[in-house]
Amino acid sequence: MKMLMKEWKLCMHPTGYIMLLCTALILVPGYPYGVSCFYMGLAIYFICLTARENHDATYTLTLPVSRGDAVRARILFCAALEVIDLLLIALFILIKQLIGNMPNPAGLDAGVALVGEAMILFAIFNMIFFPLYYRDINKPGKAFGIAAVAVFLWIILEVVGTYTISFLRDILDQPDPQYMGDKMLFTLGGLALFLGGTALSIQRSAKKFEEVDLSL
Amino acid sequence: MGSEMKSPLTVQGLCKEYPAFKLQDVSFSLVPGTITGFIGRNGAGKTTTINSVLSFVHPDAGEITFFGMPWEDHDREIKEKIGFVSAGMTYYTRKKLKAITAVTKTFYPAWDDEAYRQYMSAFGLDEEKTPAELSNGMKIKYALALALSHGAELLILDEPTSGLDPVSREELVEVFLKLRDEGKTVFFSTHITSDLEKCADRILFLQQGVLKADDDLDSFRNTWRIAECAGEIPETVRTAARGICRTRDGYTVLIRKEDAAGTETREASLEEIMIHLEKEAEKE
């Protein structure tokens, strides 16, 4: 908890708060809503960039904590932001459904399945970005670039899939509460991927970070 | 030997190899309650040694113990007893000092608020300021205040006086002396040897990754003499030379004290010893 407080008090970048607000893009008609998850990835990149500029690693590693603790705290802090992002996504989906939900021509509609899709996107980002970032904490841009490409490829697949893949087009992209059982299963699968992927990301990142020589 | 008498830091056979640099078999032990100066030119391996000691980099070989404890399995305990200050590093430049302190103190069970206030006051530091608003000397003092408030017994400082004006450097040297009086052990790397002449008890001299000297300051200086030659360097002096530097009026030649019999010499400063030995190493 001390480490999470440290992340929040010293490493949080203002874009983290701003990007949380980007979940309101779900209220925009005809928008690929998965992009709001990319914005959170961008905020995480800024957090890591700010950490580098502020010599956060040196500060943290002189505290009585291990390298593994430092990795866990950073990833869990970012995952907490993602969870808040997910809650806001769910909130804006609810608002949109209350004020009248229009079909979305640019990917999944604002419905239950979109929460699952967001969790998959965060899982992809976490599994790629953090292990690459902890190979060399002085180069967060490279890790972010690769993770962002993967996230966008998945978003493109989702958008195209709502026209071409029957499970997406005929089930997940149908208005709620149709096919709610399938959508809930999909969302639970997304949750499992998010939790498992983030846990795996912590494990792999900590291992990498233990091995590297830091050029501070 | 009681635990309180154990060396704050013992390094044995430390090796670290990079593509263009090799730290070779560095061994030393710090004496509690002393100031040890770690000298060598830029690139000699001082920072690599400190980074290895603090596990920022993984040594290829060697044993490192703090207060008799190896880093593995005791890293948290060790970190509670040491403080690290680097001149080139300022943490969270836009955060107020009080915000950095508020976070830092939560990690140390032995944190002493009263001591913190005293050090902040003694160093003339204002908690409402950010590191960006502090001079380089004040940044070092803030880092020291943090380290001392959590009860650090060993202070490891990497080039703390680099980039400081002479008055600020003098102030820091006085702080180091005061800390030594309080029983703290200070280990600081520098290439500004004049600072060490004023405060160091011991000297470690690192040259091209090899520890060339580990001695108390006076003994180290007394090992060497300087011969000033106005014109040509006499053959007897040249034969004994361990380093020759060009000066406005001729040459200065570093020779060992035992080789100086019959030659007019004077005391060598730490800076002269280092420069002459580096010149000689370049020739080799």
Side-chain angles (χ1 to χ4, degrees), chain A residues 58-59 61-62 216, chain B residues 47 50-51 54 56 79 82-87 89 91 108 143-144 147 150 152 154-159 187:
Chain A
T58 316
Y59 168 82
L61 295 181
T62 52
L216 304 167
Chain B
T47 299
I50 289 176
N51 283 345
L54 294 171
F56 292 154
K79 284 176 178 181
I82 66 173
F84 170 62
V85 179
S86 175
M89 252 166 234
Y91 311 126
Y108 295 99
L144 281 174
H150 71 69
L154 166 64
L155 297 159
I156 298 174
L157 307 109
D158 191 12
E159 307 274 1
F187 176 61

Side-chain angles (χ1 to χ4, degrees), chain B residues 81-105:
Chain B
K81 297 176 85 172
I82 66 173
F84 170 62
V85 179
S86 175
M89 252 166 234
T90 310
Y91 311 126
Y92 317 110
T93 51
R94 303 290 166 190
K95 300 284 182 189
K96 286 187 177 178
L97 301 188
K98 66 179 181 184
I100 300 172
T101 302
V103 170
T104 306
K105 65 192 278 188

Side-chain angles (χ1 to χ4, degrees), chain A residues 1-174:
Chain A
M1 187 52 81
K2 286 182 290 190
M3 282 296 286
L4 286 175
M5 285 301 283
K6 177 238 140 198
E7 290 294 317
W8 180 43
K9 297 275 187 187
L10 298 179
C11 301
M12 180 63 171
H13 191 273
T15 51
Y17 300 115
I18 295 166
M19 298 309 182
L20 284 172
L21 297 178
C22 286
T23 49
L25 286 168
I26 285 168
L27 298 176
V28 176
Y31 189 81
Y33 301 132
V35 172
S36 69
C37 299
F38 162 76
Y39 290 135
M40 179 44 68
L42 194 61
I44 290 169
Y45 162 65
F46 280 125
I47 287 169
C48 294
L49 197 63
T50 307
R52 182 189 72 183
E53 298 308 308
N54 284 294
H55 302 291
D56 171 72
T58 316
Y59 168 82
T60 305
L61 295 181
T62 52
L63 295 173
V65 296
S66 68
R67 286 192 187 202
D69 292 335
V71 171
R72 264 185 296 281
R74 171 65 48 79
I75 298 179
L76 286 176
F77 177 72
C78 293
L81 284 176
E82 290 168 345
V83 168
I84 296 170
D85 210 65
L86 289 167
L87 292 173
L88 288 170
I89 285 171
L91 176 70
F92 284 115
I93 288 171
L94 189 65
I95 291 170
K96 190 159 190 180
Q97 294 199 342
L98 288 174
I99 61 176
N101 197 359
M102 300 286 288
N104 180 18
L108 286 175
D109 290 352
V112 168
L114 183 62
V115 179
E117 167 70 358
M119 287 194 267
I120 292 170
L121 287 169
F122 284 142
I124 291 170
F125 181 83
N126 292 349
M127 281 192 288
I128 296 174
F129 175 74
F130 290 111
L132 288 175
Y133 167 63
Y134 279 106
R135 272 188 194 176
D136 187 350
I137 56 169
N138 291 319
K139 293 179 180 169
K142 187 178 170 186
F144 176 70
I146 295 168
V149 166
V151 164
F152 268 110
L153 284 176
W154 188 264
I155 291 171
I156 290 167
L157 186 70
E158 173 221 314
V159 173
V160 175
T162 55
Y163 290 97
T164 58
I165 301 171
S166 63
F167 178 66
L168 282 174
R169 182 187 59 217
D170 303 330
I171 296 174
L172 297 184
D173 200 29
Q174 293 302 309

